[in-house]
Amino acid sequence: MSALATVLAQAKERELHRTPVVAGDDAPLVVYFSSVTRNTDRFVTKLPVRSVRLPLKTTEPVPRIDEPYVLAVPSYGRPGGVGSVPPQVVKFLNDPVSRAHLLGVLGAGNTNFGPLFCVAAEKVAAKCQVPLLYKFELMGTDEDVEKVTQGLDKFWQASMQPRA
């Protein structure tokens, strides 16, 4: 077995045996898309939230979300940012019920995209008129997890307050 294959096998083994984060019924809900790289999935599963992953294939049915949630979306690196929002996210947000419950957006991306870093999250936030809460690279760092956990907790509590 090559050194690379050994490292990949060890990483997969660690992934299979990680302890999932347990979140209560009042924890924030994060709906997210993660491609086959699973970078966004790895990030979201480190957060103390309830989560729903959007299907990998656009041919699969998307869930309907009828409660408040935050969307985590990666950007695809395409010239000029065209097609940067994954089609699975577009399909999900085309459901008016799900779109109406969107409170904010978390962006995943790659800083190699330069000014297009997390452009999908920027586009979704602007189109849906919700705040872009945080941007992180690839699967995020421990610092990103801590910042999002703290910020999302404050944002969620403020968002769940009855409006006068």
Side-chain angles (χ1 to χ4, degrees):
M1 184 181 281
S2 72
L4 178 58
T6 301
V7 169
L8 290 173
Q10 289 171 342
K12 185 170 185 143
E13 185 67 20
R14 281 193 306 274
E15 191 71 22
L16 290 172
H17 291 79
R18 72 180 165 177
T19 304
V21 176
V22 178
D25 291 342
D26 60 343
L29 175 61
V30 175
V31 176
Y32 68 100
F33 174 74
S34 188
S35 68
V36 293
T37 65
R38 295 190 50 240
N39 285 331
T40 307
D41 179 60
R42 286 183 181 99
F43 181 78
V44 171
T45 57
K46 294 177 195 173
L47 300 172
V49 298
R50 297 173 298 130
S51 64
V52 174
R53 183 177 179 178
L54 297 176
L56 192 56
K57 297 180 180 180
T58 55
T59 56
E60 297 177 51
V62 293
R64 172 173 273 177
I65 304 298
D66 60 0
E67 65 176 288
Y69 69 94
V70 169
L71 179 69
V73 60
S75 291
Y76 286 167
R78 298 214 172 90
V82 174
S84 58
V85 179
Q88 297 86 338
V89 173
V90 173
K91 181 179 177 183
F92 169 72
L93 290 173
N94 278 338
D95 176 1
V97 173
S98 294
R99 188 176 56 250
H101 290 88
L102 175 63
L103 297 178
V105 182
L106 299 170
N110 187 323
T111 55
N112 288 342
F113 295 171
L116 297 178
F117 174 64
C118 294
V119 68
E122 292 172 356
K123 287 182 175 187
V124 169
K127 179 128 180 139
C128 296
Q129 300 179 354
V130 296
L132 174 54
L133 302 172
Y134 194 82
K135 297 178 181 181
F136 60 94
E137 185 171 22
L138 300 174
M139 66 189 82
T141 64
D142 289 342
E143 182 180 347
D144 291 326
V145 170
E146 184 64 28
K147 285 181 178 180
V148 169
T149 298
Q150 291 175 1
L152 194 53
D153 185 52
K154 289 178 187 173
F155 177 75
W156 196 257
Q157 299 236 354
S159 296
M160 296 301 110
Q161 294 300 315
R163 298 181 188 207

